[in-house]
Amino acid sequence: MHETSLMQYTLDAVEHRVFALQMHKVKSIDLVVGEMRGALPELLQEAFRILTYARPVFHGAQLHIEERPVVLQCQKCGKRYSAADFHQVACPDCGAPEYAIVQGNELYIDSFEGE
């Protein structure tokens, strides 16, 4: 379950910034997770619950996850399209198999709120 290590890294990064800003409590964390990262939101939430239990700065904090679906862009005609079926990635307009991933590979802390 790599969600635990992802959440550990997230909490460490937020905690480091919280202390640098001389804050005492985190109220919420906003995470952006692309579908290609393979991180399941429910497992991230569970890891958050477990890993924040013994970290007082996170008591009562909420984790908000924005999921981003995979979006491809055709290298030939420029059309952007969904990659709902990863085995069928040819452009639906021109049929070209060359594409760039323009969304769905994200994994970052968008923001956090604290006091």
Side-chain angles (χ1 to χ4, degrees), residues 10-100:
T10 299
L11 295 175
D12 289 347
V14 170
E15 188 173 58
H16 178 75
R17 191 70 184 137
V18 163
F19 292 146
L21 293 170
Q22 297 181 347
M23 301 169 97
H24 303 288
K25 185 170 183 61
V26 174
K27 290 182 168 186
S28 65
I29 299 173
D30 296 319
L31 250 169
V32 176
V33 181
E35 183 180 12
M36 288 187 67
R37 290 297 175 159
L40 300 174
E42 57 274 6
L43 294 180
L44 286 169
Q45 288 287 358
E46 183 65 13
F48 179 79
R49 186 186 66 74
I50 292 167
L51 294 172
T52 58
Y53 182 77
R55 294 172 89 162
V57 72
F58 294 105
H59 286 180
Q62 298 292 314
L63 175 64
H64 306 283
I65 300 172
E66 178 186 339
E67 296 178 77
R68 298 258 175 100
V70 176
V71 175
L72 306 177
Q73 183 169 0
C74 178
Q75 297 289 27
K76 184 175 179 184
C77 72
K79 167 136 177 110
R80 287 187 176 205
Y81 55 99
S82 171
D85 179 4
F86 293 113
H87 300 290
Q88 180 68 346
V89 292
C91 178
D93 280 7
C94 72
E98 298 87 14
Y99 62 87

Side-chain angles (χ1 to χ4, degrees), residues 84-112:
D85 179 4
F86 293 113
H87 300 290
Q88 180 68 346
V89 292
C91 178
D93 280 7
C94 72
E98 298 87 14
Y99 62 87
I101 300 167
V102 295
Q103 180 180 287
N105 202 27
E106 303 88 349
L107 178 60
Y108 62 88
I109 301 165
D110 189 43
S111 65
F112 70 89

